[in-house]
Amino acid sequence: MRRCVHAYTYMGPDEMNINEANNRIQELRAAIAEANRRYYVESAPTISDYDYDMLMNELIALEKEFPELVTPDSPTQKVGSDLETAQNVAADDEGRIPAKGSNKFDQYPHRYPMLSLGNTYNITEIEEFADRATKGIGGGFTYSCELKFDGVAICLIYKEGRLHRALTRGDGTIGDDVTENVKKIANIPQRLSGFGWPADFEIRGEIYMPYKDFDRLNEEKIREEEQPFANPRNAASGSLKLTDSKEVAKRGLECTLYHMLGENLPFPTHDAALKAAMKWGLPVSDKRRICRNIVDIEEYIRYWDSERKKLPFATDGIVIKINELGYQTKLGYTAKAPRWAVAYKFKAEQALSKVLGIDYQVGRTGAVTPVANLEPSPLSGTIVKRASLHNADQMELLDIHIGDYAYVEKGGEIIPKITGVELSKRGSDAVKPVFPTVCPDCGAKLVRDEGEAKWFCPDSDNCPTQIKGKLVHFLSRKAMNVLAGDATIEQLYNHGYVRNVADFYDLQAGQLLHLDGWKERSVQRFLVSLEESKSVSFEHVLYALGIRHVGETTAKGIAKHFGSMDAIMSATREALLDVPDVGEIIADSITAWCADPRHLELVERLRKAGLKLSIGLADEMVSTVLNDKTIVISGNFSISRDEMKKLIEVNGGKNSGSISAKTSFLLAGEKPGPEKIKKAEALGVKIITEEEFRAMIPSADGEQKGIDAVASPDFPVQLTLF
Ligand code: IVH
């Protein structure tokens, strides 16, 4: 018998009142938004698909129970976006939004929205899908069952038999134009063969990276001391978004297509459309099967749940589609997904492996993570030798013993996790591990703060692993972006050249040239990279400092809110709590960090070295007085609406199309929309005139009326112009 302990507990909406529900909904939306950003934009997810779906299910249940709390921007109402930034550039006649700033690709609107799929996890949920379909159609239909490829969605547009354009999903409405990269994928034809293709049609599918190419790429990354990809899906999505298409050609990407769209397609069924596509030379999977009923579907699922392990690429489920195109049209779509298709997600692949021992790893923040050493076993295309046990409580919950057989799963992270223990296989020689009381690295007594799941080594300034971890983090790509691998940093530390992050900027060429493996060129490259890091923006410097709980997004929010390191260092806990998304844990962590005199000294050394310790406004930015303000405009102004939106943005504000409780104010011009005014009044959102608005922002001659640029309770910003 298999006994599993899952760390996740699902809280139902049953006993919540509306305030509690609202709080939980906000929490869930924030967690989902962050998970979406990590998944779609950064291709580096932090939670597993299963945990993501559980968050989403909880949100759906709460919104069902409290429909008054549903907002149009809830993740339940829209698909995730892989676009790096929101649109603020006008489209040309062809609908093209040119690449600009952090948008690396031109963008185009999708002719048909690119939606997602509803997920199911058991046969009962598939039966419910079948019942809904029968109700809508009335019977006499078939299902097309196919594999769910775990890659990145792509939309190919063919005109007159030639590949015209390739778009990513983007936000479902607008996608990135990755045609040049797609042309480098070997199995995507640029010209169709055969005959009978519609003059203008789209075919959608998935771009994925086979396991062998994924392993090769990651080995290369590790050799070059770069961060490897967590899984083939991330590798595929990262590769598709490379700006150098020659590099894409080397990545071994492949494509499979599963959905044809167009006006008046001449096919009765989805299956017939895909068969035709295959004849035109398009890559279509041959693992599809037409099923007549649930029994057939169940058999297909059972077969592929085990057979998929032999496939050379990753799959994460199957997709069940109503096969007849006429019935598909009849069933239609919800805002997020078709009603004619559903996904069945496979349970995460598991390995059962013997626990040989447990290491206690100290991270850069001092957190001690237990990691099990396992008898090597295959799992989703790789051999697993180590798996995380998270923390002491989790070890206790699992009741794990050394010598046990444990279930291992891969989540979104690189390191797999232990999800359960097979107690029936426990031998008499199994030994209960003892969580250390002192740091395995420096011997300091471990501490655990109230409410914390992890034990910590408190000696952050003397514990070698913590110091090295902080040094590595400081130079990493999303921090100071200095070209140096972990081994290089370890070498500098071992020679006593760097003990804290400020020491990097005191390094001399002469010192480095004496080190093993360093040549003039590598010394030069490293020093130039360090010099270049001095122009890294303040938000990255703040993130680089490695303050506990201050991740990339938090650092960005805090940097934008306070504007300078000095303002942060003198901020009270309350002032920190005013920053959106900063809660008590983060505020406490920052105040503790800033109160340490050693950190004051560190900041001074970094300032002397020339690092950016305050925000420099971007060329086109005029001020930050509207930071954290979400503004809705309505009516006519003395300038065009687009110009007004731009004016809001260059002063740091965010434009929004609809009013919610989060709207900072409604900027009403002449003849504002009566609905908007009504909604603003109902929600207590302030309504201001153009004149009042102009008094808030710096005027064209540089003078700013009605607002103090340095400190005002309503606009807590510090302006530091370079
Ligand atoms: S059909 C309207 N078929 O899974 C959506 N999608 O989790 C029609 N996917 O958005 C999609 N394999 O990117 C379809 N055989 C398959 C698929 C598939 C993978 C992806 C697709 C979809 C996502 C939903």
Side-chain angles (χ1 to χ4, degrees):
M1 193 196 63
R2 194 188 130 180
R3 283 195 248 165
C4 242
V5 181
H6 280 286
Y8 187 80
T9 44
Y10 177 81
M11 256 180 49
D14 303 1
E15 294 131 34
M16 285 191 182
N17 64 34
I18 189 152
N19 285 336
E20 285 164 347
N22 192 23
N23 288 344
R24 181 67 187 148
I25 282 178
Q26 299 310 334
E27 258 174 39
L28 288 166
R29 287 182 187 159
I32 291 170
E34 177 61 10
N36 276 342
R37 199 184 59 76
R38 301 276 313 186
Y39 184 93
Y40 287 108
V41 179
E42 292 190 8
S43 300
T46 37
I47 62 170
S48 69
D49 287 359
Y50 181 79
D51 289 346
Y52 177 89
D53 289 342
M54 291 303 112
L55 292 176
M56 191 63 103
N57 286 348
E58 192 184 343
L59 182 60
I60 291 169
L62 275 170
E63 289 186 350
K64 206 167 159 193
E65 183 80 12
F66 299 95
E68 61 274 44
L69 298 178
V70 179
T71 54
D73 63 349
S74 171
T76 57
Q77 308 296 309
K78 50 181 197 173
V79 296
S81 172
D82 65 37
L83 301 177
E84 309 246 344
T85 54
Q87 309 303 304
N88 54 9
V89 187
D92 67 14
D93 291 348
E94 225 203 321
R96 183 179 75 108
I97 299 160
K100 184 169 181 259
S102 57
N103 284 341
K104 296 184 288 193
F105 299 96
D106 286 355
Q107 294 170 344
Y108 284 90
H110 285 296
R111 222 180 303 176
Y112 312 95
M114 228 169 145
L115 302 175
S116 160
L117 283 171
N119 285 330
T120 60
Y121 290 92
N122 53 50
I123 210 74
T124 315
E125 289 174 342
I126 297 177
E127 275 165 1
E128 286 164 11
F129 163 75
D131 287 347
R132 285 194 302 272
T134 312
K135 229 187 222 163
I137 301 168
F141 59 89
T142 55
Y143 303 96
S144 169
C145 287
E146 37 200 86
L147 294 176
K148 186 168 180 319
F149 301 88
D150 197 9
V152 44
I154 192 74
C155 170
L156 305 179
I157 302 166
Y158 281 88
K159 287 195 180 177
E160 308 298 344
R162 285 168 188 265
L163 176 64
H164 171 69
R165 189 174 293 144
L167 298 177
T168 66
R169 180 201 308 277
D171 63 1
T173 317
I174 297 169
D176 277 333
D177 177 355
V178 288
T179 314
E180 288 315 306
N181 287 349
V182 159
K183 283 184 179 166
K184 298 287 190 276
I185 298 175
N187 73 343
I188 297 183
Q190 291 187 43
R191 266 170 178 247
L192 299 180
S193 46
F195 52 87
W197 15 265
D200 183 357
F201 73 101
E202 294 190 9
I203 187 154
R204 295 177 177 175
E206 208 80 358
I207 287 176
Y208 59 89
M209 188 177 283
Y211 288 130
K212 66 170 180 6
D213 299 280
F214 169 68
D215 290 343
R216 184 176 45 87
L217 177 63
N218 266 359
E219 276 163 23
E220 200 177 297
K221 287 213 163 261
I222 290 165
R223 231 186 0 260
E224 311 237 314
E225 299 190 345
E226 283 177 31
Q227 183 71 16
F229 284 109
N231 53 46
R233 196 210 75 84
N234 297 335
S237 105
S239 302
L240 190 63
K241 295 265 182 134
L242 288 169
T243 34
D244 180 0
S245 61
K246 278 198 223 87
E247 186 56 33
V248 181
K250 296 183 200 156
R251 295 275 172 111
L253 295 175
E254 285 180 13
C255 180
T256 186
L257 299 166
Y258 47 62
H259 186 201
M260 194 188 293
L261 291 123
E263 298 306 303
N264 306 317
L265 290 178
F267 306 106
T269 60
H270 163 71
D271 188 52
L274 291 192
K275 277 188 178 132
M278 209 164 173
K279 286 203 180 119
W280 306 332
L282 289 162
V284 174
S285 165
D286 59 0
K287 312 281 188 278
R288 214 166 54 250
R289 190 180 141 193
I290 301 303
C291 294
R292 308 212 155 261
N293 50 40
I294 294 283
V295 177
D296 288 357
I297 297 176
E298 213 173 345
E299 194 189 310
Y300 183 86
I301 292 177
R302 211 168 322 114
Y303 178 78
W304 280 110
D305 200 358
S306 106
E307 279 303 295
R308 71 187 178 115
K309 292 168 195 158
K310 298 181 193 152
L311 292 171
F313 49 79
T315 52
D316 60 343
I318 69 154
V319 182
I320 305 148
K321 299 173 182 170
I322 304 298
N323 188 28
E324 292 72 21
L325 296 183
Y327 291 150
Q328 287 191 0
T329 312
K330 195 163 178 198
L331 289 175
Y333 295 82
T334 69
K336 269 191 86 168
R339 290 199 186 87
W340 47 262
V342 79
Y344 166 86
K345 294 291 248 334
F346 291 132
K347 301 258 165 335
E349 260 188 74
Q350 288 188 325
L352 186 61
S353 178
K354 190 170 182 181
V355 179
L356 304 175
I358 295 171
D359 286 342
Y360 297 89
Q361 284 186 352
V362 188
R364 73 176 162 84
T365 58
V368 179
T369 304
V371 177
N373 290 310
L374 305 166
E375 218 161 59
S377 36
L379 178 64
S380 311
T382 49
I383 303 289
V384 173
K385 296 184 196 130
R386 286 161 70 72
S388 174
L389 280 157
H390 298 294
N391 54 49
D393 290 348
Q394 180 71 1
M395 282 171 66
E396 206 51 51
L397 201 65
L398 292 165
D399 185 29
I400 196 162
H401 284 39
I402 295 163
D404 271 348
Y405 282 82
Y407 291 100
V408 190
E409 278 179 24
K410 277 188 180 172
E413 315 83 14
I414 287 194
I415 177 147
K417 56 188 175 198
I418 293 200
T419 55
V421 170
E422 184 53 73
L423 296 177
S424 66
K425 284 183 89 126
R426 176 169 291 168
S428 54
D429 53 350
V431 184
K432 193 172 166 77
V434 182
F435 203 92
T437 52
V438 296
C439 174
D441 205 23
C442 71
K445 195 168 172 344
L446 298 182
V447 293
R448 176 149 81 163
D449 291 342
E450 215 186 294
E452 283 276 4
K454 295 214 166 199
W455 286 91
F456 280 83
C457 165
D459 200 4
S460 57
D461 288 307
N462 294 306
C463 180
T465 314
Q466 283 190 63
I467 299 173
K468 281 185 268 178
K470 284 191 175 75
L471 297 172
V472 168
H473 170 76
F474 183 78
L475 298 190
S476 65
R477 195 168 61 81
K478 288 182 179 156
M480 303 307 290
N481 192 21
V482 173
L483 295 167
D486 297 5
T488 302
I489 297 168
E490 173 121 24
Q491 188 186 28
L492 294 174
Y493 174 83
N494 290 344
H495 275 80
Y497 288 172
V498 280
R499 280 287 178 267
N500 74 36
V501 298
D503 294 338
F504 282 123
Y505 295 97
D506 291 340
L507 288 171
Q508 302 294 326
Q511 280 175 303
L512 299 174
L513 274 169
H514 285 122
L515 297 174
D516 260 6
W518 289 74
K519 301 222 167 58
E520 221 147 277
R521 253 188 77 204
S522 43
V523 169
Q524 182 70 2
R525 201 169 68 132
F526 182 57
L527 292 178
V528 166
S529 189
L530 271 172
E531 198 53 37
E532 282 171 356
S533 76
K534 293 178 184 172
S535 54
V536 157
S537 68
F538 172 49
E539 66 191 55
H540 291 279
V541 178
L542 182 59
Y543 168 66
L545 292 175
I547 303 172
R548 234 172 111 197
H549 303 301
V550 179
E552 220 190 320
T553 315
T554 310
K556 197 171 179 169
I558 295 173
K560 223 176 146 196
H561 187 94
F562 287 99
S564 74
M565 196 63 208
D566 290 341
I568 297 171
M569 297 289 277
S570 55
T572 59
R573 185 175 181 274
E574 284 63 41
L576 285 161
L577 284 169
D578 274 346
V579 183
D581 299 328
V582 169
E584 297 192 349
I585 295 177
I586 301 177
D588 286 344
S589 168
I590 298 173
T591 22
W593 194 93
C594 294
D596 189 330
R598 289 169 301 187
H599 294 150
L600 193 63
E601 193 189 317
L602 182 79
V603 169
E604 284 320 307
R605 283 185 64 200
L606 294 177
R607 192 193 309 276
K608 273 206 195 98
L611 270 64
K612 285 200 169 161
L613 293 179
S614 55
I615 49 173
L617 299 177
D619 292 348
E620 56 180 14
M621 288 295 280
V622 172
S623 83
T624 55
V625 295
L626 300 176
N627 267 4
D628 305 328
K629 300 279 171 245
T630 303
I631 300 161
V632 176
I633 65 167
S634 182
N636 302 321
F637 301 93
S638 59
I639 51 177
S640 76
R641 289 168 59 83
D642 279 346
E643 282 166 332
M644 186 51 97
K645 285 186 183 168
K646 184 90 191 155
L647 197 58
I648 290 172
E649 277 164 16
V650 297
N651 284 289
K654 223 164 60 188
N655 284 292
S656 166
S658 57
I659 297 177
S660 73
K662 285 202 172 155
T663 308
S664 311
F665 55 80
L666 170 66
L667 170 52
E670 264 176 49
K671 295 198 194 133
E675 282 306 312
K676 287 231 164 76
I677 299 280
K678 222 160 92 190
K679 190 149 185 210
E681 283 171 352
L683 291 170
V685 170
K686 210 164 144 187
I687 304 173
I688 64 163
T689 62
E690 179 173 348
E691 203 183 342
E692 286 168 319
F693 173 72
R694 288 201 180 265
M696 285 179 176
I697 57 171
S699 62
D701 56 15
E703 188 196 337
Q704 189 181 356
K705 299 170 233 142
I707 184 161
D708 177 355
V710 176
S712 145
D714 218 14
F715 296 96
V717 289
Q718 286 249 340
L719 290 185
T720 315
L721 288 151
F722 285 90

